[in-house]
Amino acid sequence: MTTVMVCDDAPLTREVMMRRIGTLPGVTRVTGAASGEELLAKFAAETPALTLTDLRMPGIGGLEAVRRLLALRPNAQVMMMTLAEDVDGIARALTYGAKGYVMKDSTREELAVALAPFIGEAMPRGAIGLHHGGVVANLTTRELEVLRGMSQGKSNAEIGAELYLTEDTIKTHARRLFRKLDASDRAHAVALAYRSGLIS
């Protein structure tokens, strides 16, 4: 029996995500939590195969809930949910042990691929999600430097100043590394880099 827990303080967002996930192959039950505190309280009883939680919530919040949960249950499978690019939040969650992230407006098909490793379905190679087998092998040294700057939450201008390069040059390197990683944006690229062990 595969149970998925969805934690979000916005009732509508939580319900929509629960409905979408509930239709995925391999999912037999979806339960919800409205806060980080409720997530921690319900986890022991629900023992979900996968927990998805919002990054930013009132109270202890998603990040702190994940930190506490994974400190107690290192084998728990956790992914973050976000609506906007949040490089710093995602990077911190990954250092705590989260497996990746999904966008709150993901389609059912996108969720199916991203969550497949946790709900018993095979993930197609090259599909949306945090596939990381060898995807970073062809990054140049400069691209790695730009990626590390992104992981630290720095803007293109700040990375450029640090590397003595123009902002336009940084943007060019960013576009190239996105293409090589098959990443859709900064947050996705940083997540892939953390999952692959390229940056820590």
Side-chain angles (χ1 to χ4, degrees), residues 65-181:
V66 167
R67 187 191 71 78
R68 295 185 189 185
L69 174 62
L70 291 172
L72 293 171
R73 307 240 184 173
N75 294 326
Q77 305 295 313
V78 181
M79 292 187 73
M80 312 309 293
M81 299 188 300
T82 183
L83 188 58
E85 183 177 300
D86 189 342
V87 174
D88 179 63
I90 291 168
R92 287 175 61 196
L94 290 167
T95 63
Y96 295 155
K99 302 302 182 183
Y101 75 101
V102 296
M103 301 300 291
K104 292 185 183 183
D105 57 357
S106 295
T107 65
R108 179 186 179 280
E109 290 71 26
E110 289 169 338
L111 287 172
V113 176
L115 307 189
F118 311 103
I119 56 178
E121 300 294 320
M123 181 167 66
R125 181 175 177 80
I128 297 168
L130 297 182
H131 54 288
H132 58 278
V135 296
V136 297
N138 61 344
L139 292 186
T140 66
T141 300
R142 187 64 79 192
E143 287 163 354
L144 287 172
E145 290 172 336
V146 172
L147 185 57
R148 288 193 186 97
M150 290 178 179
S151 73
Q152 295 162 2
K154 296 176 181 176
S155 67
N156 289 335
E158 290 171 331
I159 297 171
E162 188 175 84
L163 299 178
Y164 302 101
L165 298 171
T166 67
E167 186 173 355
D168 284 342
T169 300
I170 298 301
K171 289 179 180 177
T172 298
H173 286 305
R175 285 194 296 270
R176 288 174 180 165
L177 72 89
F178 289 168
R179 185 168 61 250
K180 290 180 179 180
L181 294 175

Side-chain angles (χ1 to χ4, degrees), residues 5-16:
M5 182 184 291
V6 176
C7 180
D8 197 299
D9 62 303
L12 180 59
T13 301
R14 186 173 65 250
E15 290 302 320
V16 169

